[in-house]
Each structure stands twice: as structure tokens, then as C-alpha cells.
Amino acid sequence: MSQGIEANNMAAQPGEDERVKRVSKLRKAMVRPELGAICGAIAVFIYFAFAAGDTGMFSAEGVMNWGVVSAQFAIIAVGACLLMIAGEFDLSVGSMIGFSGIVIALLSVHYGWPMWASILMAFAVALAIGALNGYIVITTRLPSFIVTLASLYILRGLTIYFSIATTRQTIIGGVREAAEGDWLAPLFGGKILKGLFTWLGEAGVIQTYAGGVRAGQPVVDGIPMLMVWALAFIIFGHILLTKTQFGNWIFASGGDAQAARNVGVPVNRVKILMFMLTAFCATVFATCQVMEFGSAAADRGLLKEFEAIIAVVIGGALLTGGYGSVIGAALGALIFGVVQQGLFFAGVESSLFRVFLGIILLLAVVLNTYIRRLITGER
Amino acid sequence: MADTPLIELIDIEKHFGSVIALAGVSLSVLPGECHCLLGDNGAGKSTFIKTMSGVHKPTRGTIRVDGKEVVFESPRDAMEMGIATVYQDLAMIPLMSVTRNFWMGREPKKRIGPFSFFDFKTANAVTMEEMRRMGIHLREPDQAVGTLSGGERQTVAIARAVYFGARVLILDEPTSALGVRQTSNVLATIDRVRKTGVGIVFITHNVRHAMAVGDRFTVLNRGKTLGTAKRGEISTEELQDMMAGGAELAELQSSLGGTV
């Protein structure tokens, strides 16, 4: 019976498959994992251009305001993004931010270590904890959701305990003074391009203070290192993921760990390294914050893990791993920052931020799921 | 055809505790031949190919590669001797592009200064070329494997194994989950690969698929070989009977009025 049909199909065989439609360049350029985040970002900017266009949100000072908040989100989102693509979660990012901050402040202020040594120690401890998270996930084969949920509580508890046990308080100040003259601290708390901004101020491109002690200085006096770090992470993450062998291993580890192992991809190493990267990102975040505020607090970074994950998901990554984009995650972080600060500029009740966030998360995920089906042929 | 078999398995036995999974199975693969291994579910096909690919060590029996006796300690040993297995579940990652899948674990690299990058230009060009040789016209090398049909995915997996130096290709039921058209595509792929001198072990329980491309046929039943026959020496019905162990199926066939 089937013989006839088979012959028919064989006849249609030569040349190109008639059922593969030609795809236009435009469509190919459009259909990408970041599309949802790009649309979201444009929508958000248009909305605030109308709702808060005349409030100074898009003046140099305003841009710096939401730019810094977006950069904060971006730093942790890049780590969370690569880890999620490698097939794992890290819920301990927020606790890690609090923990690293307290480590730096305790060592430098309370124990009198030089600032550079305190910072390096915080990074060393964070990388070790990240590696431990990864190691436990790999050896126990438990979901990373559970393992890092445990770390979330353990780290937060330890942070508060260490802080109170040594200084009897949960906020440790005096970091700025301790960082004075240190060679490493400006890498996190400093600003670059100060000369350019002074010049821009003098040239009248950006506003200058009219009076007070800073009269004549530009309102924005440089690019904070936080933003530089964010940009560096985004570029590094994007190139690593899309242009290198290791990037292919990240996709493979999250896509199908067993299939990846079969062809010799060192899946365990990839996953542990990605856990270390999220810990590293959290510590960069913490160090910048501690330098900016001049203090560390045990409750810093609360809920940051979820905000990072939301930014990543808005950016088009798949919660189950194997698919996503660093650029998308960065746009997710931008949407976050603009909305959070923009509602303030627009004079909207700030509690609505979460409502807005929930809605945009839902919309982004629906759109991203659709796009992903187009790209990957999932059914 | 050349005379020395690429791989030869002689009187292989495999026991799992008190269960005898294989009780003396012999098979050889010549360069450029498609050797069909037929058997019903539970006949020991899986155990046998896992022995051939180095996953299991045989309890008794000899394995020879190029006429020399070898012992596979791990699948890696077998792979290094050019024995590649394409499993039913393929080891393809649907979310990743064809190129990324094709080169997974063996990515070509190019250096720019101190950094080394995935050489997509080379990788894409080779992937497109290899796919074209297998008769698959990819829209673009960066389309996801998930957009390919089951038959095309099989072909990508086969092309990958061949490109990375497979001399003996073990195909574990490559057609069992496919439709008619896709099956014929996979059979065409097998034929193409065979013509390049690669030896193929084609595992199936579908006699018609085996008859379409097989040079030799070995039937496995309850852990034993019921003998090997050359093309033309045996009919579809005889193969079918041997596989099922005879009588009942013959009865069923006559009542259904055709070949099962």
C-alpha cells in the first residue's frame, strides 16, 4: 500500500526540499531570542518619554540615575544568565551580595586589613562558595534550586551573625575612610572620564551646579565604575557565549547534559565555573555598593536573586537551560532600571513598580515562548 | 569488497548476574557493507551493540579490529578505533543550531591575539558541505536542530560520526520512529555512507527496511545468532520467521494476509 506513496515522495526528492520556505533576511534578523526584550525596552522608553519626558528623566542626571540602577541589575543578570543557560539556578545571589559586603567592611574597618586585601579576600571567599554550590549540585544531583535555596538562608544567617558577633550591629560604616588612598578600591567606587564631563559642563552640554560647595561643577562628574563593570560583563558574557568553544559548552551543558558528556564536553567543570561566575558578579555588585555607600549592611541584596532571574527571563532565556542571550538579559536589566526609576520620575506610586514588573514579566515570557518556537521548531 | 573485516566479534557471551543476555553471538563487518542486525525486542540487540561500542565488556568471546584482537575498556577506546554509535536518542540538542551540534565537543578554533574563538566560518562551511553530501539542504547552518525532521536529525548524527573518522558506524534503530518518507531518506544516507567504505551495522526489527539496504543479515533471537545470510540468499519471509521464531507469526500473517 505504502509503496505508491513512497515512489511519489521519492520523485519529489531531487533538488531542494519544496517544503522549506525561503526566509527573508528581515525575518531572520527579527526572530532572535532578544526580540521580546528589545520590544519591551522600546515600549518602556516610549511610555516614559510621554509620562516623564519633562521631568528631567532624560537629562544627564536623570540618565545617570536609572543608568546606575540598570547597571546594578545587569551585573548580576549576566552571571545569572550564563548559569541559567548552563542549566542551573543560583538563588543565593542576594545573600552573597550581603555576605561579600560584610566581609569587606569587617576585614577593613573592624580588623584593620588594607582595603585591597579585604576586597581580594571577599572575592576569594565568594568564588569558593560559588564553587561549593556547584560542587554540591553536581555530586548530589539535586536541583540547584534546592541547593542554592539552602545557601540563600545559610549565607544570610552567617552574614547577620558575623556582623552582630563582632560589631553588635548589622550595619558597618567607615568604609570610605578605610578605602582612602587604596589602589584597588577606585576600581569599584571610582569614576572615569571625569575630565570629559568637566569639559562638557564648561561647554554647557550638561548642567552645572549653580551654587553651593560644588558650584560650577557638572551635575554628572563621570561614569561610575559600576557602569563600566556592567558593560564589561555584558561584552565579556556575550562574546564568551556566542563566539567561543566554551560558549558552545555552556549551551550544550544546559541543553542536554548527557548528550554533551557523550561527546566529551566537561559538563561538570562548565557548571561549577558558572556558579563561580554568579558569585563573582554578586561580589562585584557588593563591592561597588559598599564603596558607594561607605558602609555595608547585612540585609543588602535582598530579593536580588529573583530580580536577576526575571531580567534573564525577560531577555529570552529558557528556565530549563540551553537557550538564552546575554544581550537579552542586559536589556531585561535596562527595562528593570528604567521602570523602577521612571515611575519615580513620572510621579507614579512606587508600589506599582512590582505590579508593572509582574505584568511585563508575563508579557515578555509569552512573547519569548512564541519566538523560541519559531526559532527552534519546538512544538 | 576487501577481505579483512573492520571489526569482528566472535562467540560473544554476556552475563548479567544469573541472566544470560548473549549466549554466543558472532558478527563481522566488512568495509563498505551494511550488515543488518535483526531481532525482536529483548533479543539482545542493545546488549550486543553496547558490547561492540565498548560500553559493556563481554563475559566471554573475542573482538578483533582489523584482524587484531582488542579489548575495549571504555566507549572512548572503541571511538578511538573508529567505532561510532548513533543511538536512538541521537545525542542531538534540539535548541542548538546544526553547526553547534555538529561540532559539539570538537569545536574548531581560531586565535585572535591571546584569545581563541569558535571558528564559525569554517564550522558552518564544513557543516553545510557535509549536509549537502548527505542530501540535506539546510536553509542555513545556524538553524536549530529542533526545526529538522527526525530523519534529518538522524542524518546529521550520521554525518557527524562519519566526519569525525568513524570506520564502523553502529546505527541503533535509526528508522523505528520515522515515517515512510523519512525512512527512505535515512536508508539513502546509509547507502551513501556505505559507498565511502564505512562499514555499517544497521540494527532494526523491520525486515523491509533491512532488505532495502542490507548486504548481509544476522538474526538475533533470545541471545543467540541464528546465522548470517547474504543478500539474495534469503527472503523477507524467511527473515521474518527467524526473527519471531517461526510458527505463530506465520499463522498471524496468513490471517492478516500479508507481511507484518
Side-chain angles (χ1 to χ4, degrees):
Chain A
M1 174 214 87
S2 59
Q3 241 86 6
I5 301 167
E6 206 169 339
N8 255 338
N9 281 337
M10 294 298 272
Q13 179 67 22
E16 304 205 352
D17 191 336
E18 79 287 355
R19 292 209 311 201
V20 175
K21 273 194 244 162
R22 292 274 120 206
V23 177
S24 74
K25 282 245 161 61
L26 176 71
R27 187 186 140 107
K28 199 190 156 196
M30 289 287 292
V31 177
R32 54 196 311 142
E34 304 92 347
L35 181 61
I38 293 171
C39 294
I42 293 172
V44 161
F45 273 107
I46 291 175
Y47 172 76
F48 284 109
F50 283 109
D54 51 353
T55 58
M57 184 177 169
F58 296 101
S59 70
E61 199 181 9
V63 169
M64 204 48 79
N65 180 305
W66 52 258
V68 165
V69 175
S70 300
Q72 286 184 337
F73 286 127
I75 286 175
I76 48 172
V78 170
C81 177
L82 293 179
L83 181 65
M84 198 187 286
I85 296 172
E88 306 292 342
F89 276 112
D90 189 351
L91 294 184
S92 67
V93 170
S95 298
M96 186 58 107
I97 290 171
F99 183 80
S100 296
I102 287 292
V103 168
I104 292 170
L106 260 187
L107 291 178
S108 61
V109 177
H110 191 76
Y111 292 103
W113 286 33
M115 187 52 74
W116 60 268
S118 311
I119 293 173
L120 290 183
M121 191 63 190
F123 274 102
V125 173
L127 288 176
I129 293 171
L132 184 66
N133 272 339
Y135 181 76
I136 294 173
V137 168
I138 298 291
T139 48
T140 61
R141 295 184 183 184
L142 289 170
S144 50
F145 180 86
I146 295 300
V147 172
T148 58
L149 187 60
S151 323
L152 181 158
Y153 278 93
I154 294 170
L155 278 180
R156 186 63 75 188
L158 283 179
T159 308
I160 297 168
Y161 171 78
F162 282 141
S163 171
I164 290 189
T166 49
T167 65
R168 292 170 188 276
Q169 47 193 350
T170 55
I171 301 178
I172 305 173
V175 177
R176 195 166 291 145
E177 293 71 25
E180 207 112 309
D182 189 81
W183 61 270
L184 188 58
L187 195 60
F188 298 93
K191 289 182 176 180
I192 60 162
L193 300 179
K194 283 186 178 177
L196 175 68
F197 280 87
T198 308
W199 179 79
L200 283 176
E202 282 161 3
V205 178
I206 54 177
Q207 286 178 298
T208 51
Y209 287 106
V213 283
R214 299 176 65 187
Q217 290 179 11
V219 288
V220 176
D221 60 355
I223 304 280
M225 280 308 291
L226 182 80
M227 281 182 159
V228 178
W229 276 101
L231 210 59
F233 272 126
I234 294 166
I235 294 169
F236 169 79
H238 178 68
I239 291 177
L240 180 74
L241 186 64
T242 57
K243 309 271 185 242
T244 70
Q245 174 179 52
F246 195 83
N248 209 33
W249 292 356
I250 295 175
F251 279 120
S253 301
D256 185 340
Q258 198 48 50
R261 283 195 186 98
N262 283 345
V263 292
V265 174
V267 173
N268 295 352
R269 200 168 85 211
V270 170
K271 291 194 171 185
I272 289 175
L273 278 171
M274 289 302 102
F275 273 107
M276 291 170 77
L277 178 71
T278 53
F280 184 84
C281 290
T283 306
V284 169
F285 181 110
T287 313
C288 289
Q289 202 179 42
V290 166
M291 293 303 149
E292 189 197 343
F293 292 175
S295 69
D299 64 348
R300 293 257 169 85
L302 221 53
L303 288 181
K304 285 289 173 219
E305 54 281 332
F306 290 110
E307 293 171 354
I309 289 171
I310 292 172
V312 173
V313 172
I314 289 177
L318 188 58
L319 278 166
T320 45
Y323 189 81
S325 143
V326 171
I327 300 294
L331 287 169
L334 181 67
I335 292 174
F336 241 82
V338 170
V339 172
Q340 184 175 323
Q341 300 309 101
L343 291 180
F344 167 75
F345 277 103
V348 177
E349 172 60 37
S350 64
S351 52
L352 287 178
F353 170 57
R354 298 209 168 91
V355 178
F356 192 95
L357 207 62
I359 292 171
I360 210 164
L361 173 67
L362 209 54
L363 289 178
V365 172
V366 169
L367 180 59
N368 285 335
T369 310
Y370 172 71
I371 297 165
R372 194 166 55 236
R373 284 204 190 119
L374 286 185
I375 299 175
T376 64
E378 283 175 66
R379 275 173 264 273
Chain B
M1 262 181 223
D3 320 300
T4 323
L6 292 169
I7 186 169
E8 204 174 359
L9 293 99
I10 303 152
D11 228 2
I12 300 293
E13 286 187 33
K14 178 69 191 175
H15 305 175
F16 293 108
S18 61
V19 179
I20 301 171
L22 299 174
V25 178
S26 300
L27 178 145
S28 67
V29 184
L30 297 167
E33 92 164 330
C34 175
H35 196 140
C36 297
L37 183 63
L38 294 130
D40 207 354
N41 295 339
K45 286 177 301 187
S46 300
T47 312
F48 187 64
I49 59 168
K50 280 184 177 160
T51 309
M52 206 184 318
S53 59
V55 177
H56 295 322
K57 269 178 93 170
T59 311
R60 221 166 297 160
T62 330
I63 302 176
R64 285 196 197 130
V65 173
D66 295 326
K68 272 186 248 113
E69 196 170 326
V70 293
V71 177
F72 296 143
E73 295 293 341
S74 72
R76 195 155 283 279
D77 284 358
M79 266 185 257
E80 270 165 24
M81 296 198 183
I83 294 148
T85 314
V86 175
Y87 288 104
Q88 229 168 340
D89 56 9
L90 288 176
M92 285 277 140
I93 301 181
L95 291 169
M96 286 165 65
S97 73
V98 177
T99 298
R100 282 182 178 277
N101 265 289
F102 192 93
W103 295 92
M104 187 166 61
R106 305 166 174 122
E107 295 81 355
K109 284 181 277 187
K110 66 166 181 241
R111 300 192 71 83
I112 298 175
F115 305 107
S116 105
F117 295 95
F118 190 146
D119 186 356
F120 275 105
K121 212 175 149 198
T122 311
N124 284 339
V126 173
T127 308
M128 284 302 258
E129 172 60 17
E130 293 301 313
M131 291 298 104
R132 198 190 55 73
R133 280 172 44 177
M134 291 293 177
I136 291 190
H137 298 276
L138 290 181
R139 201 189 306 139
E140 57 223 354
D142 54 357
Q143 79 183 86
V145 161
T147 61
L148 301 180
S149 68
E152 288 170 327
R153 289 188 211 192
Q154 281 288 350
T155 304
V156 176
I158 293 170
R160 175 170 72 176
V162 171
Y163 182 79
F164 289 108
R167 297 190 304 136
V168 177
L169 197 55
I170 304 166
L171 305 176
D172 182 15
E173 310 235 355
T175 56
S176 63
L178 302 180
V180 178
R181 161 92 178 259
Q182 295 187 16
T183 297
S184 65
N185 286 349
V186 170
L187 296 181
T189 303
I190 291 175
D191 187 46
R192 272 197 193 90
V193 172
R194 169 173 60 182
K195 281 177 183 145
T196 65
V198 173
I200 292 168
V201 182
F202 176 21
I203 290 104
T204 181
H205 55 240
N206 188 318
V207 178
R208 281 197 332 116
H209 297 172
M211 287 305 271
V213 287
D215 295 306
R216 286 196 291 166
F217 308 90
T218 297
V219 178
L220 218 57
N221 195 337
R222 301 183 64 80
K224 285 194 184 116
T225 16
L226 298 178
T228 297
K230 277 196 186 126
R231 183 179 194 84
E233 286 176 358
I234 193 163
S235 71
T236 311
E237 287 70 28
E238 283 170 306
L239 270 179
Q240 190 87 40
D241 280 354
M242 279 167 82
M243 246 174 81
E248 298 156 45
L249 200 73
E251 227 167 82
L252 184 63
Q253 258 170 0
S254 61
S255 71
L256 291 174
T259 305
V260 176

